[in-house]
Amino acid sequence: MTETKAVKSEQTRALIVETALRLFRERGYEATTMRAIAKEAGVSVGNAYYYFGSKEELIQAYYDELQDEHVAACRAVLDAERDFAPRLLGVLKARVDTMVPYHEFAGKFFKFAAEPTSPLNPFSAESGPARAAAVAIYREVVDGSSLKIDDEFRKELPELLWLYSMGIVLYWVHDSSPGCRKTYLLVERTVPLVNKMVSMSRIPGFKSVTRELVNVIRDVRA
């Protein structure tokens, strides 16, 4: 009985998220109310608020679902590849693959997510769990590879790769090419450059630069 309730609860939660995303696409984020979401989902307003306290929480749920899809999509390449560049390329392409169905919505929603004080901003405290999960993927890219780099740089590289991926996402939001073709091209052309720069960190002349970069990251984060 308890298990049946849990399944039904998860189905209701998923239905609310799915309905909210559809209405956000159709009516816009700002114009869509929790009452409208509840009505379209066929649940009471109170029930909708039971699962999600606000529209912002619905977007955080969307972030989490998108993150889960990304983890599943890049599992094959992470299990099969050991070289750093193919691992990074596969993970970034999988990231774009999972985002493409939401491209129109992302374009309309971007102005809210880009607002520095918004809880929907990927750098906000509210987005912390999704951000940590995303960085964890890039940590797996690094730690599961045959890459030989300085230990201190290795610790910071996953977050740098996540920031790089956010640049890809920003380009994708504004990419009007068919099937986001230019975003895939951007990934394919920049991954070899990132690989070269990371590999150069092992060269004695570049080690001091790498250490300085690590210090800058840590000072900014503090």
Side-chain angles (χ1 to χ4, degrees), residues 113-165:
E115 173 62 42
T117 58
S118 171
L120 305 178
N121 190 299
F123 297 92
S124 70
E126 290 84 353
S127 297
R131 184 169 61 249
V135 172
I137 290 181
Y138 295 101
R139 183 168 293 109
E140 186 174 354
V141 169
V142 174
D143 292 345
S145 75
S146 55
L147 194 61
K148 306 295 183 188
I149 55 175
D150 178 80
D151 287 344
E152 292 303 306
F153 185 44
R154 178 181 288 272
K155 291 177 184 176
E156 304 300 336
L157 184 55
E159 187 167 348
L160 287 173
L161 294 176
W162 174 73
L163 289 171
Y164 161 49
S165 77

Side-chain angles (χ1 to χ4, degrees), residues 12-207:
T12 301
R13 186 180 188 279
L15 174 62
I16 294 170
V17 173
E18 181 183 339
T19 303
L21 291 177
R22 176 171 59 80
L23 292 181
F24 292 157
R25 288 194 297 268
E26 294 173 357
R27 306 179 185 180
Y29 175 77
E30 199 168 26
T32 302
T33 64
M34 287 292 286
R35 182 174 294 278
I37 293 168
K39 182 179 179 181
E40 287 287 321
V43 301
S44 68
V45 176
N47 203 15
Y49 275 110
Y50 171 79
Y51 289 98
F52 301 99
S54 64
K55 290 193 297 183
E56 287 80 7
E57 287 188 15
L58 276 162
I59 293 297
Q60 293 299 338
Y62 158 68
Y63 287 165
D64 292 341
E65 287 192 9
L66 195 60
Q67 187 61 37
D68 289 343
E69 289 177 20
H70 184 211
V71 169
C74 62
R75 180 51 47 204
V77 70
L78 291 177
D79 289 344
E81 290 286 354
R82 287 282 292 154
D83 290 342
F84 173 71
R87 288 171 71 83
L88 180 59
L89 179 64
V91 165
L92 287 172
K93 280 188 172 182
R95 176 65 169 160
V96 180
D97 288 344
T98 56
M99 293 190 304
V100 165
Y102 304 99
H103 191 248
E104 185 179 352
F105 165 64
K108 296 176 180 177
F109 173 71
F110 175 73
K111 65 178 181 179
F112 299 101
E115 173 62 42
T117 58
S118 171
L120 305 178
N121 190 299
F123 297 92
S124 70
E126 290 84 353
S127 297
R131 184 169 61 249
V135 172
I137 290 181
Y138 295 101
R139 183 168 293 109
E140 186 174 354
V141 169
V142 174
D143 292 345
S145 75
S146 55
L147 194 61
K148 306 295 183 188
I149 55 175
D150 178 80
D151 287 344
E152 292 303 306
F153 185 44
R154 178 181 288 272
K155 291 177 184 176
E156 304 300 336
L157 184 55
E159 187 167 348
L160 287 173
L161 294 176
W162 174 73
L163 289 171
Y164 161 49
S165 77
M166 292 304 296
I168 299 292
V169 171
L170 179 59
Y171 183 86
W172 167 79
V173 168
H174 298 280
D175 183 6
S176 59
S177 63
C180 299
R181 178 183 57 82
K182 289 185 177 180
T183 303
Y184 285 103
L185 180 62
L186 180 65
V187 170
E188 291 167 359
R189 296 293 293 274
T190 56
V191 164
L193 296 176
V194 171
N195 184 46
K196 287 179 181 178
M197 288 188 287
V198 170
S199 298
M200 286 172 66
S201 70
R202 301 195 301 266
I203 300 173
F206 285 89
K207 284 186 176 180

